[in-house]
Amino acid sequence: MTPIFPKIAARKMVLATDLDGTFLGGSDDDRRALYGWIEENRATVGLVFVTGRDLEFICQLCHTDEVPWPEYIIGDVGTTIAEITNRSIKPMVALEAEISALWQDKGDVVRSTLDGHPGLTLQPTAFRYRVSYDYDPHTFDDSALGKIDALGADVLISNDQYFDVLPKGVSKGPSLLRFLDNMNVSRDRVLAAGDTLNDLSLLLAGTPAVAVGGSEQALLDALPEDDRIHRARAIGAAGITEAIAAFNLHSLEERIS
């Protein structure tokens, strides 16, 4: 029988974490320790993936049973908001309505505008509310930035590898806040975790936050000195554990009885 846990708003702590380099980063032992602790404390710890990855990737990842299943997903760099029910992922249509309205089906015009643009290679996945490219900083022509601004969309460049075109004002941080407000989750009980520049808005959303060890230097340079932002020494998953202790969000010794 599937255990019934309190609603996410009633949990002692919620982890809102990026995947690559963050939740999936670090040593095997560090990941096992964090994942095991989460599973043992599901009644008091909520789990939300906040990632650039799409729903299909996340579903395949979780079905390996190598990582805990999240309860909610903020995916596609904040342009998707979904919930998990019986290991099935379902978009939260009401929370995505504003994202859809801001995007206004710009996908085709973005692809046409940037077709053949120097330094950009279109990624094959057809996302619903974003267009993504592999980015080469050495050959990139920055006239693309003005072209996208003229279309009423935003550009997010991260890790010197990725160029995402997003709805105006939409990214990981704003979508997390939209989700938390809708679910009545207190922001001071949420730990946001990331490691690259596309996590900047997530770490600046106003919750306790951690840039895990090994984070992209551009992210670290962009982050202000703030008591709510922890710069972890430990890599990946261990950096998340370090931040839980640093902010005293949850005892790492507590177990479900």
Side-chain angles (χ1 to χ4, degrees), residues 18 30 41 69 88 109 112 134 138 219 229:
D18 172 58
D30 289 338
N41 289 277
W69 278 83
S88 177
V109 69
S112 176
D134 293 323
H138 304 293
L219 172 67
I229 300 174

Side-chain angles (χ1 to χ4, degrees), residues 5-14 41-47 71 185 189:
F5 296 127
K7 292 182 178 180
I8 196 166
R11 309 292 174 86
K12 183 173 184 178
M13 171 195 153
V14 174
N41 289 277
R42 284 289 194 172
T44 54
V45 176
L47 181 61
E71 292 154 89
V185 176
R189 292 188 289 105

